[in-house]
Amino acid sequence: MTAVTPPSAVEPVTRLIDQPRVDKYAVAARDPNPIHRETPEAYAGPFGRPVAHGMLVLALVSEAMTNAFGEAWERGGSLKVRWRQPALVPIEVTARAVLKSEHDGVATYDVSCEDASGEALLTGTASVHLA
Amino acid sequence: MTSPTRIAFDTLSRGDVLPPVDLTISADDVRAYLDATGEPADRWGEHVPPVMMSALMLATLLSQIEIPKGVMHTGQEHESMRPVRIGEPLTVTVLVASHAVRRGALMASFDAEARAGDEVVAVSRASVLVPPPDDAASTDPSSAGSAE
């Protein structure tokens, strides 16, 4: 489905990111960094336990934008984000996108991923060309 | 995608261009990715999810350089020019967009470009921070972002 009039907010996506999911992601995304898995490096690292891949958290934003905009998100969609806190596994993450502006057929959303207590893990913007 | 000899991270300089890497994303690759992220697979029968493209463009970087201990992925940008078809042969090239030491921490960004022939289909930028060796175990995660 392609939205011509951008919604004021897209439907949030919430998902549990647990260790099995992270382990599968490490293989699928070809990221072997041991800090994401149950390894001595993860437990000796700055966070004291495994941390989910930032790109796995970001994937929820893209899923929410795909749900709202379909192929328009694939054709000219863009993202710019910064990670604010590590996603310590297991964690329930909710991705949100709230309309920030609409100019010349481009809708820009403030996007975020939050943990279950509402703490921001990731913030940024996502833009999509409206058909 | 694995390169036989990895480049030392601290020998990189702004403007360096890493050797191009061939990338073809199969239907099995996409299924495995969606199984991991939890996104419903039914809509991705023909195309590659945009953030999967970004992740695999980042993976081309990971395959070519030695990843320093304690490195943190602090930011990511991505733009899709058009949908990427499953099985479409691509070439990914990574440019060192910035590489500088500030207060002992190494901050770098990498621009990746995916092409299908001469056509650019996606671009991305990954920003990373490598804390000073003595600080690697005490980095404040709230100020540096999540580790990758």
Side-chain angles (χ1 to χ4, degrees), chain B:
Chain B
M1 288 197 346
T2 302
S3 152
T5 304
R6 293 178 187 242
I7 302 164
F9 194 90
D10 58 4
T11 65
L12 295 169
S13 299
R14 180 181 175 189
D16 286 351
V17 178
L18 305 185
V21 174
D22 291 336
L23 174 66
T24 301
I25 302 169
S26 71
D28 284 348
D29 292 335
V30 172
R31 274 193 291 272
Y33 175 85
L34 296 172
D35 182 46
T37 63
E39 182 171 356
D42 51 357
R43 66 164 73 102
W44 296 112
E46 295 180 35
H47 298 149
V48 179
V51 170
M52 180 182 184
M53 272 300 302
S54 202
L56 293 185
M57 290 164 77
L58 182 63
T60 67
L61 172 67
L62 299 177
S63 73
Q64 293 186 89
I65 64 171
E66 291 176 2
I67 306 302
K69 199 169 185 178
V71 67
M72 296 181 159
H73 188 180
T74 55
Q76 185 72 25
E77 300 175 34
H78 181 84
E79 182 174 2
S80 302
M81 279 62 190
R82 66 154 169 86
V84 173
R85 292 185 298 278
I86 291 171
E88 184 171 16
L90 305 172
T91 303
V92 177
T93 306
V94 176
L95 163 76
V96 181
S98 66
H99 192 277
V101 175
R102 290 178 196 151
R103 287 184 285 183
L106 200 167
M107 305 175 80
S109 59
F110 299 89
D111 288 350
E113 183 178 82
R115 288 178 174 269
D118 292 335
E119 180 187 14
V120 177
V121 296
V123 294
S124 67
R125 169 172 285 194
S127 300
V128 302
L129 178 148
V130 184
D134 292 346
D135 294 350
S138 59
T139 302
D140 176 5
S142 63
S143 63
S146 90
E148 261 290 313

